[in-house]
């Protein structure tokens, strides 16, 4: 059964058709990725599905009983509270449980030996319901979800009004995961997550009990999560079974098949038109007229259109001159801004021409600072860093610092400021980056993130560097442009160093992975998948296990690295003992209730509350100690 059905849907803005006559359906367990070029109507389709926009034609049918959870790209107005804290927002996911908990507390405070039996019975019934509905676990789930999207315990008390836009989006994502709607709709959910957060979201969606529709430019994420692709391009929607990689293969097969059919039809039409021209006024006029009618009918009813191609960046990466074989090497390198608080200690490295290095790690760990050290914008705190000969460095910054947003410069102005050339030549180059016609006169300050990224790439490529240093190059780029950039980087006749969360790009390009964790940059030779398989991400895996421990068995499995290991093992035993004792008390409460021993029930309830509190404290202590040992 389909949880959602789209029938002959059309949306337009004035004379512009966003999409026309599209139909699709998603089953109860569907995992759908909606992909296509920026500006192709993906967000508009999501907004129509959730009722925030009205279509010009067609209909959306949602199955009875379906609940919809929606994560827009800008989530500020989708939160429940604007005056409460981060934790208050998450508590709003459990209104019935918080209400029951408050009522139970009030009733418990007045229950005594003289309390009427009816009141005690009401309390016990409510207590059973509270327990069955997850009353003793929901706060653990809240902490698990907040940790998953990157909030620390110190941030739980932050007012929602003081959060950044990205933090509000992460907070809404955490609340949607807890609410578990029948249909979860996510518009760019990975935009504000680090790698650990993305992996956490992957694990949640892979076991999601309902249906999911998501827009994402993260191809590795799509490969792991979805089982259907909706390709929305040129106003048409086509569904493909499988993940992203399967879709790429099917899409190319479709294109080749359509091309072959189109070419055969064109030959047939050309042959018929040639016959009609030669005989329309000759002895075979009637036959020519009959063929003309059949040809017109064929063109109207059966002829397929030429295979369409999306607007796509056309660019070629090349270097103006060859660098030396050595790109950089280091010995005992430590980087940062303050000798008393260094950012990173760097493994000794030997990086050579034509290699591709990908720097990965959590946000705020010094990756960009390491790039600045390579470019001599920051001096090392200690150790040696040597750069090779004949290096022409091209730098692509994460915040597009190379663009001047403080003036009224247009796209054309900015390009001509970087490269002196005739205006006609500049316009031709910008056209290859999808800035055509009057778009070259758009102010840079008014460009979207993707448009600024394309302009930055255009400026960078014209410099023809032999060492590309790229900081999050695929941020804001749609998938077609990402695919072009990936192909160009693979064919580049120079060397590449990139910081990226794009595991798909990393896996296909990297010859080395430089992994940043716990104030150390470690060098691994190989691609991302080889890194994962070799368990070189053990520190990340340990950190993930801490973040997921409460959701899983809550039985820690951390290999101790110092003499505090005995304390960890003791706490592990305490966790198991406390969980076992709580289970025993639950059974005793059931027996006392059956025997109508209300004093015993009250005593056990108080005892259970104490053990639950002890369990929470022990889990917090264990998590903190585990992280400190790493």
């Amino acid at each position: 059964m389909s949880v959602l059905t789209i029938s002959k849907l059309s949306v337009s803005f004035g004379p512009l058709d966003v999409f026309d006559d599209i139909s699709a359906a998603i089953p109860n367990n569907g995992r759908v990725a909606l992909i296509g070029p920026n500006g192709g109507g993906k967000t508009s389709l999501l907004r129509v599905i959730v009722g925030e926009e009205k279509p010009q034609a067609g209909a959306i049918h949602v199955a009875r009983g379906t609940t919809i959870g929606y994560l827009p790209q800008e989530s500020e107005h989708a939160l429940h509270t604007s005056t409460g804290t981060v934790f208050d927002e998450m508590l709003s996911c459990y209104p019935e449980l918080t209400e029951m908990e408050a009522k139970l507390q009030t009733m418990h405070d007045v229950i005594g030996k003289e309390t009427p039996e009816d009141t005690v019975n009401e309390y016990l019934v409510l207590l059973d319901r509270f327990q069955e509905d997850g009353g003793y676990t929901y706060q653990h789930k809240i902490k698990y979800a907040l940790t998953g999207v990157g909030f620390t315990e110190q941030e739980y008390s932050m007012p929602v009004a003081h959060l950044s836009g990205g933090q509000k989006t992460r907070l809404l994502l955490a609340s949607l995961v807890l609410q578990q709607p029948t249909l979860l709709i996510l518009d760019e959910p990975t935009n504000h997550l680090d790698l650990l957060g993305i992996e956490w979201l992957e694990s949640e969606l892979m076991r999601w009990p309902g249906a999911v529709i998501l827009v994402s430019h993260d191809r590795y994420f799509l490969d792991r999560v979805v089982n259907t692709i909706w390709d929305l391009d040129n106003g048409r929607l086509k569904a493909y079974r499988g993940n992203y990689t399967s879709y790429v293969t099917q899409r190319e097969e479709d294109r080749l098949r359509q091309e072959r059919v189109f070419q055969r039809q064109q030959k047939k039409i050309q042959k018929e038109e040639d016959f009609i021209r030669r005989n329309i006024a000759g002895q075979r006029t009637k036959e020519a007229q009959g063929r003309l009618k059949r040809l017109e009918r064929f063109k109207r009813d059966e002829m397929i259109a030429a295979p369409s191609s999306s607007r796509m960046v056309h660019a070629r990466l090349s270097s103006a001159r060859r660098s030396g074989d050595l790109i950089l090497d280091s010995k005992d390198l430590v980087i940062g801004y303050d000798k008393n608080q260094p950012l990173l200690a760097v493994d000794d490295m030997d990086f050579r021409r034509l290699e591709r290095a990908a720097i990965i790690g959590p946000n705020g760990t010094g990756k960009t600072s390491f790039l600045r050290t390579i470019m001599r914008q920051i001096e090392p705190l200690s150790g040696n860093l040597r750069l090779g000969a004949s290096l022409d460095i091209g730098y692509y910054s994460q915040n597009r610092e190379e663009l001047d947003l403080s003036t009224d410069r247009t796209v054309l102005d900015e390009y001509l400021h970087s490269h002196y050339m005739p205006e006609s030549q500049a316009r031709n180059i910008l056209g290859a980056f999808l800035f055509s016609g009057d778009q070259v006169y758009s102010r840079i300050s008014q460009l979207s993130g993707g448009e600024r990224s394309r302009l930055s790439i255009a400026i960078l490529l014209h410099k023809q560097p032999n060492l590309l240093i790229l900081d999050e190059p695929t941020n804001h780029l749609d998938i077609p442009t990402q695919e072009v950039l990936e192909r160009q980087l693979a064919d580049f006749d120079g060397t590449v160093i990139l910081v990226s969360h794009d595991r798909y790009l990393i896996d296909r390009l990297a010859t080395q992975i430089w992994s940043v964790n716990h104030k150390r940059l470690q060098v691994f030779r190989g691609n991302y998948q080889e890194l994962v398989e070799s368990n070189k991400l053990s520190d990340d895996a340990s950190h993930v296990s801490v973040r997921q421990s409460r959701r899983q068995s809550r039985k820690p499995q951390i290999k101790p690295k110092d003499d505090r290991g005995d304390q960890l093992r003791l706490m592990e035993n305490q966790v198991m003992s406390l969980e076992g004792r709580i289970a025993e008390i639950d059974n005793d409460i059931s027996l006392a209730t059956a025997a109508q021993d209300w004093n015993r029930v009250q005593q056990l309830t108080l005892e259970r509350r104490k053990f639950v509190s002890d369990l929470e404290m022990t889990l917090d202590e264990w998590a903190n100690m585990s992280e400190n040992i790493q």
Side-chain angles (χ1 to χ4, degrees), residues 241-258:
R241 292 183 178 274
N243 62 9
Y244 175 78
T245 298
S246 175
Y247 150 76
V248 171
T249 302
Q250 294 177 66
R251 180 188 62 185
E252 182 61 17
E253 291 173 351
D254 271 2
R255 190 192 67 78
L256 292 174
R257 183 165 50 250
Q258 187 177 1

Side-chain angles (χ1 to χ4, degrees), residues 60-348:
I60 298 284
H61 175 73
V62 179
R64 182 176 300 175
T66 298
T67 56
I68 296 178
Y70 177 43
L71 179 79
Q73 290 190 38
E74 303 296 333
S75 304
E76 180 172 356
H77 301 296
L79 297 172
H80 290 94
T81 178
S82 59
T83 58
T85 66
V86 166
F87 206 80
D88 291 336
E89 174 66 25
M90 299 301 284
L91 286 173
S92 67
C93 300
Y94 299 98
E96 293 184 358
L97 284 176
T98 53
E99 184 180 342
M100 275 193 284
E101 190 169 31
K103 186 174 181 180
L104 282 169
Q105 183 62 54
T106 301
M107 295 177 70
H108 178 270
D109 291 343
V110 300
I111 287 179
K113 293 182 179 180
E114 306 301 324
T115 302
E117 185 175 326
D118 288 346
T119 301
V120 175
N121 285 337
E122 181 185 355
Y123 171 78
L124 293 173
V125 169
L126 187 62
L127 183 65
D128 285 341
R129 181 184 166 196
F130 182 71
Q131 180 179 342
E132 290 173 1
D133 291 352
Y136 294 115
T137 60
Y138 79 95
Q139 293 207 20
H140 288 299
K141 293 178 180 179
I142 287 175
K143 293 176 182 179
Y144 162 77
L146 286 174
T147 306
V149 298
F151 283 97
T152 64
E153 193 163 349
Q154 290 73 28
E155 292 172 321
Y156 292 178
S157 58
M158 285 182 63
V160 169
H162 293 175
L163 299 182
S164 67
Q167 287 174 316
K168 289 176 180 177
T169 299
R170 288 191 281 119
L171 183 58
L172 178 58
L173 177 60
S175 69
L176 289 174
V177 168
L178 291 185
Q179 294 171 48
Q180 296 213 327
T182 314
L183 174 60
L184 181 63
I185 299 177
L186 307 175
D187 195 351
E188 297 290 359
T190 64
N191 271 3
H192 303 287
L193 298 178
D194 61 15
L195 186 54
L196 287 177
I198 294 171
E199 290 175 345
W200 171 84
L201 181 59
E202 281 175 0
S203 67
E204 290 300 303
L205 295 183
M206 287 167 70
R207 58 174 175 260
W208 190 258
V212 178
I213 302 175
L214 61 91
V215 172
S216 177
H217 295 158
D218 188 328
R219 296 167 293 170
Y220 196 97
F221 177 74
L222 297 182
D223 258 355
R224 290 175 59 82
V225 169
V226 306
N227 55 28
T228 302
I229 302 288
W230 287 354
D231 185 357
L232 183 59
D233 193 9
N234 289 318
R236 300 293 182 181
L237 187 144
K238 184 174 177 59
Y240 295 85
R241 292 183 178 274
N243 62 9
Y244 175 78
T245 298
S246 175
Y247 150 76
V248 171
T249 302
Q250 294 177 66
R251 180 188 62 185
E252 182 61 17
E253 291 173 351
D254 271 2
R255 190 192 67 78
L256 292 174
R257 183 165 50 250
Q258 187 177 1
E259 180 68 31
R260 288 193 296 269
V261 173
F262 177 76
Q263 292 298 336
R264 285 199 298 268
Q265 285 190 349
Q266 291 302 301
K267 288 181 181 179
K268 177 182 176 181
I269 291 170
Q270 186 178 11
K271 183 178 178 181
E272 288 296 296
E273 288 176 341
D274 181 61
F275 178 88
I276 293 167
R277 278 195 303 271
R278 287 187 289 104
N279 294 282
I280 193 69
Q283 295 180 351
R284 305 176 70 177
T285 297
K286 287 186 178 180
E287 183 179 356
Q289 289 174 339
R291 287 196 180 192
L292 178 59
K293 290 180 180 178
R294 288 193 296 272
L295 180 60
E296 290 173 344
R297 188 163 54 245
F298 173 81
K299 287 182 177 181
R300 185 187 66 231
D301 300 334
E302 300 179 42
M303 187 177 73
I304 68 169
S308 61
S309 58
S310 303
R311 293 186 70 212
M312 188 173 292
V313 170
H314 298 283
R316 183 177 181 275
L317 279 167
S318 63
S319 55
R321 63 171 178 163
R322 187 187 188 279
S323 69
D325 288 334
L326 174 70
I327 299 300
L328 65 88
D329 62 13
S330 69
K331 181 72 174 177
D332 301 326
L333 181 64
V334 178
I335 70 163
Y337 303 88
D338 183 346
K339 288 186 176 181
N340 296 319
Q341 293 181 321
L343 283 176
L344 285 177
V346 180
D347 280 4
D348 294 347

